[in-house]
Amino acid sequence: VPNDFYARLITLLQGQGAKCILDADDEPLKLGIQSKPYLIKPNEYEIERLTGRSLTSESSLIEAAMEIVESGVEMVVVTLGKKGAMAVTREFVYHATTPQVPVKSKVGAGDSFLAGFVTGLVRKYSLEETLRFAMACGTAAVMYDGTALCRRDDVEKIFSQIEIREIKS
């Protein structure tokens, strides 16, 4: 598909009242943001490529995410691997961290995280609970080989161990 495919799709769907979530990299992400999706979910590497700068501190990540929010994206959720994830809106900045678990494969962890985040949004959890649920899903996913999905019992165990810190309110 062409690089502007997501941008065109977001414009079309949001014109019909949908809330769009974009998980992409490079040019499709840059162009997709111009259509102002509801949420984007870059990982640490992707947000660095998007902004064209190294984001080595928590404050630099927050600053970059806030710039994207100010451009019209309602929420930026950045996955940070072992360092957790951040959710940034105009009103809130949350940083979630997870307990150490045995890592068998990172394949699909970001997708499991995003599926958990969408589930939290659909269930109308608070942003804090949504981020906690997403972190539990992503963390549970790394515990299995290959592309295996997270398991409900693991998600439930990990959920209560996720720590959320509010940075800005």
Side-chain angles (χ1 to χ4, degrees), residues 91-165:
E91 296 82 25
F92 301 102
V93 176
Y94 290 115
H95 186 194
T97 54
T98 186
Q100 296 296 316
V101 297
V103 176
K104 292 192 177 176
S105 174
K106 296 177 186 174
V107 175
D111 295 329
S112 294
F113 173 94
L114 187 54
F117 206 92
V118 171
T119 299
L121 292 173
V122 169
R123 292 179 179 171
K124 301 194 184 311
Y125 293 169
S126 68
L127 179 55
E128 202 171 335
E129 282 182 298
T130 297
L131 182 57
R132 182 173 278 116
F133 188 71
M135 283 295 298
C137 291
T139 301
V142 303
M143 297 167 57
Y144 297 94
D145 289 323
T147 58
L149 298 175
C150 59
R151 296 184 180 155
R152 183 179 185 160
D153 58 330
D154 293 323
V155 171
E156 290 170 354
K157 287 177 199 169
I158 294 168
F159 181 86
S160 63
Q161 298 175 53
I162 303 296
E163 294 183 18
I164 305 284
R165 181 170 51 96

Side-chain angles (χ1 to χ4, degrees), residues 5-161:
F5 176 77
Y6 294 132
R8 289 187 287 142
L9 188 60
I10 290 165
T11 299
L12 173 72
L13 293 172
Q14 289 190 157
Q16 297 175 8
K19 285 187 176 182
C20 293
I21 297 172
L22 179 61
D23 183 8
D25 187 18
D26 206 22
E27 201 64 20
L29 176 59
K30 287 178 186 175
L31 295 172
I33 286 174
Q34 293 174 8
S35 293
K36 298 176 180 37
Y38 170 72
L39 182 152
I40 65 166
K41 195 230 57 82
N43 62 31
E44 192 170 14
Y45 173 74
E46 292 163 345
I47 196 168
E48 285 184 336
R49 284 173 48 116
L50 176 65
T51 61
R53 60 188 193 259
S54 179
L55 305 171
T56 56
S57 68
E58 183 178 84
S59 61
S60 65
L61 279 164
I62 293 168
E63 181 181 323
M66 284 303 291
E67 289 170 9
I68 297 166
V69 168
E70 293 298 326
S71 78
V73 174
E74 196 164 321
M75 189 181 316
V76 176
V77 180
V78 183
T79 52
L80 305 168
K82 290 180 183 179
K83 295 181 284 184
M86 296 180 76
V88 179
T89 70
R90 288 185 193 276
E91 296 82 25
F92 301 102
V93 176
Y94 290 115
H95 186 194
T97 54
T98 186
Q100 296 296 316
V101 297
V103 176
K104 292 192 177 176
S105 174
K106 296 177 186 174
V107 175
D111 295 329
S112 294
F113 173 94
L114 187 54
F117 206 92
V118 171
T119 299
L121 292 173
V122 169
R123 292 179 179 171
K124 301 194 184 311
Y125 293 169
S126 68
L127 179 55
E128 202 171 335
E129 282 182 298
T130 297
L131 182 57
R132 182 173 278 116
F133 188 71
M135 283 295 298
C137 291
T139 301
V142 303
M143 297 167 57
Y144 297 94
D145 289 323
T147 58
L149 298 175
C150 59
R151 296 184 180 155
R152 183 179 185 160
D153 58 330
D154 293 323
V155 171
E156 290 170 354
K157 287 177 199 169
I158 294 168
F159 181 86
S160 63
Q161 298 175 53

